[in-house]
């Protein structure tokens, strides 16, 4: 699988490469963008602390587990990825409530109805288009009733985002997905109560950094660098 080979290549220095690619324009490092995604998931899932099982599909080196552990103190986290070398890196973070495993990119290796939350963070644009809806149906299969999937993707209508993606060595195979297309795929996969919003409008540096707090109110505006969709089973 081409995706696997590409991400195996960069498993040991993924964060360094990603930060180098985005920090000059965005003013933030790779870890920041993982953290902000988990913060949004926490906000959407609800502020009341409760036990939950979390699947991070396409977890890479597993660093999102650190952020999930901070914001979901009663969680059990499972991270899966097609890159064996990335999972070996992630395994360094394993503990009683954090687990990692490889999977084949199509069949999620867990039973029906076992997760409350699924995160898919900038992964689907690497999945062949013919396989995307099938993978979303797999996500629905492993979600509990009223469980939710949170999908973050790059906004193909943002020229800065397109420039960053074009220059990124591990995004050479990326085919960006519009928010409208993502909404339609989720519907086709059987999801309900779909919500979508654009994010990352301002750089995290200089005077514009102070405007980041306004982004909560700009989710309708199709100029954000990324967007997310939240949908329930």
């Amino acid at each position: 699988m081409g995706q696997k080979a590409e991400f195996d290549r960069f498993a040991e220095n993924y964060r360094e490469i990603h930060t180098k690619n985005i920090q000059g324009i965005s003013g933030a490092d790779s870890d920041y963008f993982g953290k902000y995604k988990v913060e949004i998931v926490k906000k959407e899932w609800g502020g009341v602390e409760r036990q939950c099982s979390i699947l991070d599909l396409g977890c890479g080196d597993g660093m999102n587990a650190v952020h999930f552990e901070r914001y979901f103190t009663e969680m059990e986290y499972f991270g899966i990825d097609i890159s064996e070398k990335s999972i070996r890196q992630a395994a360094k973070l394993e503990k009683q409530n954090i687990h990692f495993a490889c999977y084949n990119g199509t069949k999620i290796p867990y039973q029906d109805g076992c997760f409350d939350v699924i995160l898919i963070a900038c992964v689907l644009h690497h999945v062949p288009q013919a396989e995307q809806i099938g993978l979303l149906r797999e996500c629905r299969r492993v979600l509990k009733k009223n469980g939710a999937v949170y999908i973050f993707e790059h906004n193909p209508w943002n020229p800065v985002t397109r420039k960053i993606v074009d220059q990124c060595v591990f995004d050479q195979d990326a085919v960006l997905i519009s928010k409208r297309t993502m909404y339609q795929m989720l519907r086709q996969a059987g999801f309900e109560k779909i919500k979508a919003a654009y994010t990352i409008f301002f750089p995290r540096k200089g005077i514009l950094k102070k405007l980041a707090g306004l982004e909560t109110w700009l989710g309708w505006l199709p100029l954000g660098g990324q967007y997310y969709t939240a949908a329930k089973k």
Side-chain angles (χ1 to χ4, degrees), residues 163-179:
K163 179 179 179 181
I164 291 173
V165 170
D166 288 344
Q167 293 177 347
C168 185
V169 291
F170 42 75
D171 276 340
Q172 297 306 303
D173 70 335
V175 179
L176 300 190
I177 306 166
S178 72
K179 182 167 71 74

Side-chain angles (χ1 to χ4, degrees), residues 18-106:
H18 190 217
T19 293
K20 184 177 180 180
N21 191 57
I22 63 176
Q23 195 165 37
I25 295 176
S26 71
D29 63 12
S30 180
D31 190 61
Y32 171 87
F33 286 98
K35 178 173 173 285
Y36 109 85
K37 291 176 176 68
V38 175
E39 287 176 342
I40 289 177
V41 172
K42 175 65 174 180
K43 180 181 177 181
E44 292 288 342
W45 179 241
V48 178
E49 191 56 65
R50 48 185 161 156
Q51 289 186 337
C52 66
S53 53
I54 295 168
L55 175 64
D56 187 356
L57 191 154
C59 66
D61 63 3
M63 287 303 297
N64 283 339
V66 176
H67 304 306
F68 272 113
E69 191 172 35
R70 175 182 175 186
Y71 290 102
F72 292 78
T73 57
E74 299 296 321
M75 69 147 197
E76 186 163 17
Y77 168 99
F78 297 81
I80 60 174
D81 202 281
I82 62 172
S83 167
E84 295 175 11
K85 288 187 177 180
S86 295
I87 290 297
R88 284 203 291 271
Q89 290 290 114
K92 299 173 184 178
L93 300 172
E94 282 191 334
K95 54 177 74 173
Q96 187 174 0
N97 65 329
I98 295 176
H99 321 276
F100 295 99
C102 284
Y103 84 120
N104 65 7
T106 55

